[in-house]
Amino acid sequence: MTTEEQIAIRRAEPWREELRKSVKAKDRSNMERVRMNELDAARRSHTNEEVNAGLTLGQARKEAQRCLDCAKPACMEGCPVSINIPTFIKYVEAGEILEAAKVLKETSSLPAVCGRVCPQEKQCEARCIHLKMKKEAVAIGYLERFAADYERTSGHVFIPEPDRPNGVKIAVAGSGPAGLSFAGAMAKSGYRVTVFEALHEIGGVLKYGIPEFRLPNEIVDVEIDVLKRMGVTFLTNCIIGKTITYEDLRNDGFRGIFVASGAGLPNFMNIPGENLTGVMSSNEYLTRVNLMDAASPESDTPVLTGKKVAVIGGGNTAMDSVRTALRLGAERSMLVYRRSAEEMPARMEEVKHAREEGVEFLTLYNPLAYIGDAQGRVKQMRLQKMALGQADASGRRRPVPVEGAIETIEADEVIVSIGVSPNPLIPSAFRGLDVSKRGTVVVNESTMQSSLCDVYAGGDIVRGGATVILAMGDGRRAAAAMHERLKIINRQ
Amino acid sequence: MNKIVSKEYFSAHVVKLEVEAPLIARSRKAGHFVIVKTGEKGERIPLTIAGADLEKGTITLVIQAVGGSSRKICALRVGDEITDLAGPLGRATHIEKAGTVVCAGGGVGVAPLMPIVEALHQAGNRVIAVLAARSKELVILEEQMRLHSDEVIVMTDDGSYGRKGLVTDGVESVINREKVDLCVTIGPAIMMKFVSALTKKYAIPTVASLNTIMVDGTGMCGACRVTVGGKIKFVCVDGPEFDAHQVDFDEMLMRLGAYRDIEKK
Ligand SMILES: Cc1cc2nc3c(=O)[nH]c(=O)nc-3n(C[C@H](O)[C@H](O)[C@H](O)COP(=O)(O)OP(=O)(O)OC[C@H]3O[C@@H](n4cnc5c(N)ncnc54)[C@H](O)[C@@H]3O)c2cc1C
Ligand SMILES: Cc1cc2nc3c(=O)[nH]c(=O)nc-3n(C[C@H](O)[C@H](O)[C@H](O)COP(=O)(O)OP(=O)(O)OC[C@H]3O[C@@H](n4cnc5c(N)ncnc54)[C@H](O)[C@@H]3O)c2cc1C
Ligand code: FES
């Protein structure tokens, strides 16, 4: 059966036809898009509480009515893992929220996470039929989050029933979204899965990177708990390639290895003053605050809390850093970005929230150098004013320096957030593993298999810094392909 | 998990712990380090693996109490568990037969020097260890060093033991007396800076093991970055050992002070 046929069959179910007819399409289109309930900006900018409070059942069902239940749902094409969006939304409209959550879990392992962190405005919502009619897209992300949260708090968390255990041992290196989704899919197929994590916490970027005010740890922990209940073993403080080598894993009887070690290596700009104290990567800053809880008085780990904090970059990581700085008491929290606000890769919602909270946007500025005091602590930055020139390969207009327009601005803490490179630990430790010039693991795109036949890889270690949903999709794809391969081998 | 099986005081502030860590004992080599965290809200700090016992599945750590986290670890007792222990990290020391090697260790740098001295000696080098401390009570591992080297020279700042003088005086006395092919130095950054300046004068290739501030120890944060030969290097994945003559020690010293005001509180 083709995907189109599957979509059509579900759409033709009697309850759904009836629901579709119960409200006229025109009336559905004329409804206003729901507004997310959120904490007041003045209050939230000083606490770590989650900013978005979620929708109520009433709001969610009303928003679900806006969905026209299209015969050819373009939104699904916009979703990297092809969630059956109209089906789950119609279950929300019908008030069958647990059913809606089940539909999400057919193709997504982490809906409560993705509902919060996916760039929906560039993916599913960007393809919503309403946009063609100059209306706002259905709030698919909010609804996804609603259904997943509803399930999580209902006391009826769905634990997939694993197939009969087949005793085959599988190893996963890294416990971010790619590793977690792979582990879930393999456990479901009856494998004995062990996830090895280098850090002392499970969750990858979801724990050490994305702050509590955007993605509470509790949400990630529930997903991890589901995996544990499905029989997945987690081993923290274990660095594949160091504590245990590829050869050790093979000798210990692991028949397949999934590398999901992420893009942890922070990039710097290599400009003067970048090694002054008070200048650090966003990974360092966020790791101290999120993983090590450095802002709490009980924590042994220190973190510098500047009064005038500048964050360099325009992605989600930059946005998380600049908003964290506000919460740690910065008087001025500035975002320095070399293009204009429209070109920022960060999620639209984060940009909006940052503005509301009082982050200053220094767009069209590029740092040239940092200047320190006598103790070597940064005190100023020298910024080059930029202007937008011709479009570059990415289609965005290229920023060019405005001759002679250089400004000096006070900053006692600078957080560099200009991207990450693949974590080099595994690429350098697995002999025979094909690695690209950029340091990513080379894989077959449909199976995620690497040049070593028992090693698969996915997520940021394959893509460079990408997204949670893509990492998760890779994990599921790799699991399906590895399962196929092992089935064939076992038959022989 | 990571149970402490033995504990010994080398001096009032320097403790040797033997810790259960079978996987690390199996894979570690001279020059590797571990990240240690004690307590749920503990800090992750790097410590060199000073030795390992494959049969017992243990590794040895030698810790000097200099601040909050190192004191916490020094206070652990036999039977206690280290909450988190990860490794082995960093690149192993490149061991080869160079000829005559001077190994200059100061303070707690003597402990991480131990496995390197052992390996260099085994590789057939003539190894001369120069151990420096402020005074007699702070001299550690002298006996073990003697077992694995051809000569041990002890230097104390106050002359209470061995010869009076700085580590550099000891190293220079060897250079003046015989041909030295390689120098390895581990200790406080300021000490390594001066050893490096000295051997540069004599054009003796020198390796320094850098003890920068770290967080993850896996290349993820850049807290450990140093400038070597004009380029940024991450000590935890590119090091910890580097060509000492290329290291910007002044920058490293400045960066070590980053959290000094906060840590004092
Ligand atoms: C601050 C920040 C904010 C972000 N915001 C968003 C967002 O809003 N929306 C979005 O879609 N994406 C966002 N991203 C990107 C997204 O988080 C990543 O694309 C995604 O987490 C990649 O998943 P992964 O599983 O490949 O790797 P990671 O999540 O990076 O996990 C890799 C894990 O592997 C471990 N590891 C590494 N080496 C080894 C080894 N040798 N042995 C064992 N374990 C190892 C690491 O410690 C880590 O825990 C953000 C990223 C950051 C840093
Ligand atoms: C690769 C590596 C291997 C190491 N091996 C050992 C070892 O085997 N034994 C051992 O005792 N120590 C070792 N260290 C140093 C050890 O990690 C630090 O002493 C420890 O992190 C200090 O933490 P603290 O909380 O006790 O002190 P803090 O309160 O953080 O610091 C106390 C004082 O020491 C200074 N300081 C902080 N970190 C360092 C540092 N890395 N080096 C020098 N001074 C510092 C601070 O500026 C402050 O003045 C190693 C460091 C590295 C990077
Ligand atoms: S300690 Fe974080 S990169 Fe080296």
Side-chain angles (χ1 to χ4, degrees):
Chain A
M1 210 184 336
T2 65
T3 322
E4 285 78 25
E5 284 163 352
Q6 271 172 354
I7 293 171
I9 289 174
R10 294 178 86 164
R11 188 170 178 271
E13 286 173 19
W15 69 271
R16 199 151 144 195
E17 295 216 3
E18 200 176 309
L19 188 69
R20 202 158 48 237
K21 287 188 191 131
S22 67
V23 183
K24 278 205 215 95
K26 194 156 164 253
D27 294 340
R28 292 182 188 271
S29 306
N30 283 336
M31 293 164 75
E32 290 272 315
R33 177 175 157 127
V34 67
R35 298 279 156 245
M36 174 55 84
N37 307 313
E38 44 190 52
L39 296 188
D40 176 62
R43 169 161 151 234
R44 75 187 189 226
S45 60
H46 297 285
T47 75
N48 228 353
E49 270 175 78
E50 192 178 9
V51 169
N52 282 349
L55 303 181
T56 62
L57 178 61
Q59 283 175 313
R61 291 186 65 181
K62 194 143 172 260
E63 180 62 20
Q65 281 193 351
R66 294 185 64 229
C67 168
L68 302 185
D69 197 6
C70 304
K72 285 206 179 70
C75 51
M76 282 181 68
E77 290 161 20
C79 174
V81 299
S82 313
I83 289 179
N84 195 320
I85 294 170
T87 304
F88 106 77
I89 292 187
K90 289 302 125 182
Y91 274 124
V92 173
E93 183 179 342
E96 305 265 5
I97 315 298
L98 291 177
E99 286 303 313
K102 246 190 225 155
V103 173
L104 291 171
K105 290 211 168 156
E106 288 167 11
T107 46
S108 167
S109 326
L110 306 164
V113 175
C114 294
R116 286 171 167 81
V117 305
C118 265
Q120 291 94 0
E121 76 275 7
K122 294 195 191 101
Q123 299 178 1
C124 51
E125 295 183 18
R127 307 287 298 275
C128 179
I129 186 91
H130 285 318
L131 294 178
K132 289 210 179 109
M133 305 180 290
K134 300 272 179 284
K135 302 253 154 101
E136 284 187 280
V138 172
I140 302 169
Y142 295 172
L143 291 175
E144 179 185 24
R145 170 193 161 133
F146 173 78
D149 284 1
Y150 185 95
E151 188 211 15
R152 194 182 68 250
T153 50
S154 68
H156 301 286
V157 176
F158 173 65
I159 314 263
E161 183 69 35
D163 297 350
R164 203 161 51 82
N166 58 24
V168 177
K169 282 165 73 180
I170 302 294
V172 183
S175 65
L180 293 179
S181 61
F182 174 88
M186 288 305 266
K188 170 89 184 52
S189 301
Y191 292 91
R192 249 169 79 193
V193 183
T194 308
V195 178
F196 299 93
E197 168 54 53
L199 295 173
H200 59 271
E201 273 275 359
I202 301 162
V205 170
L206 307 181
K207 281 282 180 64
Y208 77 72
I210 304 180
E212 195 72 10
F213 59 81
R214 206 149 71 79
L215 177 65
N217 282 343
E218 187 219 326
I219 292 179
V220 185
D221 286 334
V222 168
E223 303 293 347
I224 294 165
D225 191 55
V226 168
L227 295 180
K228 284 184 181 160
R229 282 159 62 183
M230 287 171 70
V232 175
T233 308
F234 287 92
L235 215 66
T236 51
N237 298 313
C238 189
I239 306 135
I240 297 300
K242 291 278 184 185
T243 318
I244 301 183
T245 63
Y246 174 47
E247 288 74 24
D248 293 336
L249 285 174
R250 291 177 60 120
N251 292 339
D252 290 346
F254 285 95
R255 300 281 304 282
I257 300 161
F258 182 58
V259 175
S261 52
L265 199 74
N267 297 336
F268 287 93
M269 293 175 70
N270 294 310
I271 59 175
E274 219 171 16
N275 290 346
L276 289 167
T277 64
V279 183
M280 70 193 82
S281 73
S282 50
N283 266 10
E284 177 179 351
Y285 186 63
L286 293 173
T287 300
R288 284 180 185 273
V289 177
N290 298 333
L291 182 72
M292 308 308 298
D293 198 18
S296 128
E298 294 112 69
S299 172
D300 292 347
T301 305
V303 62
L304 293 176
T305 47
K307 290 286 162 234
K308 301 186 185 102
V309 182
V311 175
I312 317 297
N316 286 319
T317 315
M319 225 52 77
D320 285 342
S321 304
V322 82
R323 294 171 70 198
T324 297
L326 272 182
R327 285 160 173 77
L328 298 192
E331 286 157 12
R332 260 191 107 175
S333 201
M334 301 169 269
L335 193 89
V336 179
Y337 183 55
R338 66 198 178 105
R339 303 180 191 248
S340 71
E342 289 78 69
E343 279 96 12
M344 281 189 185
R347 294 179 77 227
M348 211 165 63
E349 188 179 37
E350 311 313 326
V351 177
K352 165 182 167 279
H353 283 160
R355 278 192 206 281
E356 289 168 359
E357 289 166 11
V359 168
E360 292 173 55
F361 283 66
L362 302 182
T363 49
L364 289 167
Y365 280 102
N366 199 31
L368 293 178
Y370 306 107
I371 300 149
D373 63 14
Q375 281 75 49
R377 171 81 187 247
V378 64
K379 62 169 187 186
Q380 290 170 329
M381 54 181 173
R382 196 162 290 146
L383 302 180
Q384 165 75 60
K385 186 91 187 106
M386 310 295 278
L388 288 181
Q390 298 295 317
D392 64 11
S394 73
R396 298 184 298 179
R397 291 174 67 192
R398 188 198 306 273
V400 288
V402 179
E403 190 110 17
I406 294 175
E407 291 172 35
T408 303
I409 290 181
E410 306 284 309
D412 59 359
E413 185 164 12
V414 173
I415 294 153
V416 182
S417 190
I418 56 156
V420 283
S421 300
N423 189 312
L425 279 176
I426 290 182
S428 64
F430 280 34
R431 210 173 308 142
L433 188 68
D434 250 1
V435 178
S436 76
K437 268 202 214 103
R438 289 164 53 216
T440 52
V441 173
V442 178
V443 295
N444 171 323
E445 273 173 39
S446 53
T447 62
M448 310 311 285
Q449 190 178 28
S450 76
S451 56
L452 298 169
C453 65
D454 56 348
V455 178
Y456 290 59
D460 281 2
I461 188 68
V462 165
R463 300 170 179 274
T467 59
V468 171
I469 186 92
L470 286 170
M472 195 206 73
D474 286 354
R476 292 176 73 115
R477 204 137 22 96
M482 188 186 284
H483 181 44
E484 274 312 307
R485 176 171 175 272
L486 291 173
K487 266 199 307 208
I488 291 167
I489 294 179
N490 281 349
R491 248 183 261 133
Q492 282 164 358
Chain B
M1 271 199 309
N2 306 304
K3 196 185 285 187
I4 294 171
V5 297
S6 80
K7 176 174 180 176
E8 188 183 325
Y9 279 91
F10 280 162
S11 73
H13 298 289
V14 179
V15 166
K16 175 179 131 180
L17 297 179
E18 208 184 337
V19 187
E20 271 175 11
L23 292 177
I24 301 177
R26 179 174 79 171
S27 47
R28 74 99 213 186
K29 292 196 175 69
H32 279 145
F33 66 93
V34 285
I35 290 276
V36 176
K37 171 172 162 287
T38 30
E40 273 317 307
K41 297 278 173 185
E43 185 177 20
R44 294 171 65 98
I45 69 164
L47 296 169
T48 309
I49 305 170
D53 186 325
L54 262 179
E55 261 159 49
K56 286 203 290 185
T58 57
I59 59 169
T60 306
L61 304 174
V62 178
I63 309 110
Q64 178 175 31
V66 296
S69 301
S70 47
R71 262 202 304 273
K72 228 167 154 180
I73 295 169
C74 287
L76 294 174
R77 285 168 306 194
V78 173
D80 286 351
E81 300 236 346
I82 292 184
T83 319
D84 294 286
L85 181 69
L89 293 162
R91 294 188 186 197
T93 310
H94 176 69
I95 302 288
E96 61 173 1
K97 186 156 188 250
T100 300
V101 186
V102 172
C103 294
V108 78
V110 174
L113 198 56
M114 189 69 240
I116 298 174
V117 164
E118 212 178 311
L120 284 169
H121 197 243
Q122 246 166 36
N125 291 288
R126 173 174 154 75
V127 178
I128 301 161
V130 181
L131 311 182
R134 282 204 305 280
S135 61
K136 184 177 179 192
E137 314 79 68
L138 300 176
V139 176
I140 60 170
L141 291 171
E142 187 190 345
E143 276 321 301
Q144 288 92 322
M145 283 285 178
R146 280 192 199 286
L147 282 176
H148 297 286
S149 54
D150 296 272
E151 186 185 349
V152 174
I153 299 171
V154 178
M155 307 293 300
T156 50
D157 291 5
D158 61 1
S160 54
Y161 186 64
R163 281 191 234 159
K164 182 174 159 64
L166 299 173
V167 71
T168 38
D169 300 325
V171 174
E172 195 159 22
S173 71
V174 181
I175 297 173
N176 286 337
R177 159 188 105 182
E178 62 186 288
K179 180 171 173 294
V180 175
D181 300 290
L182 177 70
C183 175
V184 179
T185 181
I186 311 184
I190 188 79
M191 179 204 107
M192 294 191 281
K193 174 183 163 172
F194 285 114
V195 170
S196 171
L198 173 78
T199 57
K200 195 168 183 178
K201 198 169 78 186
Y202 292 99
I204 297 167
T206 299
V207 173
S209 178
L210 306 185
N211 41 18
T212 49
I213 291 174
M214 290 189 179
V215 182
D216 57 298
T218 64
M220 200 181 84
C221 75
C224 61
R225 67 195 188 277
V226 286
T227 304
V228 181
K231 292 213 178 71
I232 292 188
K233 296 280 176 191
F234 287 8
V235 171
C236 66
V237 285
D238 301 322
E241 290 169 16
F242 294 97
D243 175 352
H245 298 158
Q246 302 290 322
V247 173
D248 184 342
F249 282 105
D250 291 327
E251 180 187 274
M252 180 180 158
L253 279 160
M254 175 194 88
R255 289 183 56 78
L256 276 173
Y259 294 89
R260 196 162 288 146
D261 296 341
I262 307 184
E263 296 278 16
K264 282 222 182 85
K265 277 184 212 155

